[in-house]
Amino acid sequence: MIKLNVQKQLNGGVSGKINLQIRTEIKRGQFVALYGKSGAGKTSLLRILAGLMQPKKGSIEVNEKTWFDNEKGINLSPQQRNIGFVFQDYALFPHLTVKGNLRFALKKNQDAKIVEELLDLMELRTLQNQKPAQLSGGQQQRVALARALVQRPSILLLDEPLSALDLAMRKKLQDYLLRVHQQFDLTTILVSHDVQEISKMADVVLEMEEGKIIKQGSPEEVFAGLGRLTLHGRIIAIEHDAELIETQLFVDVLGKTILLKATKNHKWKVGDRIAMNTQMIDIVKEI
């Protein structure tokens, strides 16, 4: 059980400053998604939980152990918190091989057997002697995930880990993440703008706005209203996946670029003006 009750002023939001005020509980073993517009405080909340950012006041309790309490003067370092963190930019060491990156994450005197297990689990065995620059984005992401698991964390934090990948690779890595979540008995917290991704993976969604949780529930509950929205705009770019199963439309809507995912092979072309109900397409993210 994670009990969060934290406050901190952050840069961002419409006014330039937002007051992060989060009070919630996350059950052990849940897969939780943080959803909301850019600047809502999602990544900051992950960093606070990881000990990379200190709240102004409040408390963090994990499995009945206090990680932070400003009144009691408790603030455990990141190394003292049993957390794995996968950043959006992977943050791999470029001079180390795949296996070297995993071995670097080992604790002192920790059995290195876990490295061999993860190389097999993440299908990295044939790449173990390669360096990050020799890997594709999907391969680098698998290395980053494996490295985050080396110390067998109880909590896995994921900051938009799949956003830069193509559709086919995102789907494959979603399956990896779900398998790892279950096999390692993790509590996982994911930041994502992808409604379809969240609906596939998460048990609980925390929708954030201006530093606060404005909605909490299952994906079905939080996204229930999307099916009633109608969008009007002009297509400015189109991308297809390799199997032509899905189409991504980049649509200009009131001066903002919205990425839409269509599940049917419609005959759209760049420049078309469309009015489309979100029951036909999923809003993935605002670019």
Side-chain angles (χ1 to χ4, degrees), residues 15-279:
S15 63
K17 298 282 185 181
I18 64 171
N19 291 313
L20 185 75
Q21 298 181 42
I22 300 295
R23 188 182 188 118
T24 191
E25 294 184 357
I26 296 171
K27 295 180 181 178
R28 184 171 181 174
Q30 283 187 324
F31 198 121
V32 177
L34 302 182
Y35 174 78
K37 295 179 180 179
S38 297
K42 303 181 299 297
T43 296
S44 294
L45 183 57
L46 289 192
R47 293 176 62 82
I48 284 172
L49 187 53
L52 301 173
M53 180 184 289
Q54 184 174 332
K56 182 179 180 180
K57 59 181 179 179
S59 62
I60 301 172
E61 184 180 305
V62 179
N63 298 329
E64 300 183 350
K65 181 178 180 180
T66 301
W67 284 9
F68 174 81
D69 191 312
N70 70 296
E71 292 185 354
K72 296 179 180 178
I74 299 173
N75 184 23
L76 299 188
S77 68
Q79 293 76 20
Q80 294 173 298
R81 306 185 187 201
N82 192 21
I83 278 179
F85 204 137
V86 180
F87 298 90
Q88 190 173 1
D89 62 358
Y90 314 142
L92 299 174
F93 295 110
H95 63 290
L96 297 179
T97 63
V98 168
K99 190 170 186 177
N101 267 276
L102 269 58
R103 290 186 63 87
F104 187 87
L106 289 166
K107 292 181 180 178
K108 186 178 180 180
N109 299 323
Q110 182 182 357
D111 189 345
K113 183 180 178 182
I114 183 63
V115 171
E116 305 302 323
E117 292 176 3
L118 287 167
L119 286 171
D120 292 330
L121 175 66
M122 303 303 295
E123 300 180 16
L124 294 168
R125 177 65 66 184
T126 59
L127 302 172
Q128 63 179 329
N129 295 319
Q130 303 293 312
K131 292 184 178 179
Q134 299 171 289
L135 306 178
S136 69
Q139 291 167 340
Q140 289 184 47
Q141 191 58 279
R142 277 187 281 151
V143 177
L145 177 58
R147 187 181 62 181
L149 296 171
V150 165
Q151 295 184 14
R152 293 192 175 275
S154 59
I155 300 172
L156 179 62
L157 306 179
L158 305 167
D159 187 12
E160 296 193 76
L162 312 181
S163 61
L165 304 177
D166 61 46
L167 179 62
M169 184 54 65
R170 280 207 309 272
K171 287 185 172 181
K172 186 172 183 179
L173 283 178
Q174 286 166 7
D175 293 334
Y176 273 116
L177 286 171
L178 285 171
R179 188 195 315 169
V180 164
H181 171 74
Q182 295 166 358
Q183 186 165 333
F184 280 73
D185 192 27
L186 297 168
T187 301
T188 302
I189 305 176
L190 165 75
V191 170
S192 177
H193 291 90
D194 189 325
V195 173
Q196 192 171 55
E197 179 173 277
I198 292 172
S199 297
K200 175 181 177 179
M201 302 176 70
D203 307 311
V204 176
V205 181
L206 305 181
E207 184 174 358
M208 294 180 62
E209 185 176 292
E210 293 288 310
K212 300 176 179 62
I213 296 172
I214 60 170
K215 209 170 188 180
Q216 181 170 345
S218 68
E220 293 79 9
E221 293 168 334
V222 172
F223 300 134
L226 289 183
R228 295 188 294 272
L229 294 177
T230 299
L231 300 176
H232 300 267
R234 181 176 59 85
I235 299 174
I236 56 178
I238 300 174
E239 290 183 1
H240 301 280
D241 70 352
E243 293 81 23
L244 294 177
I245 295 171
E246 293 184 327
T247 300
Q248 295 186 129
L249 306 176
F250 295 84
V251 183
D252 179 77
V253 181
L254 298 175
K256 295 182 179 179
T257 301
I258 302 292
L259 175 60
L260 305 176
K261 185 181 294 180
T263 55
K264 296 182 180 179
N265 188 19
H266 294 276
K267 295 181 179 179
W268 287 303
K269 60 182 182 297
V270 173
D272 281 354
R273 292 190 175 276
I274 61 172
M276 192 162 298
N277 193 287
T278 52
Q279 288 176 331

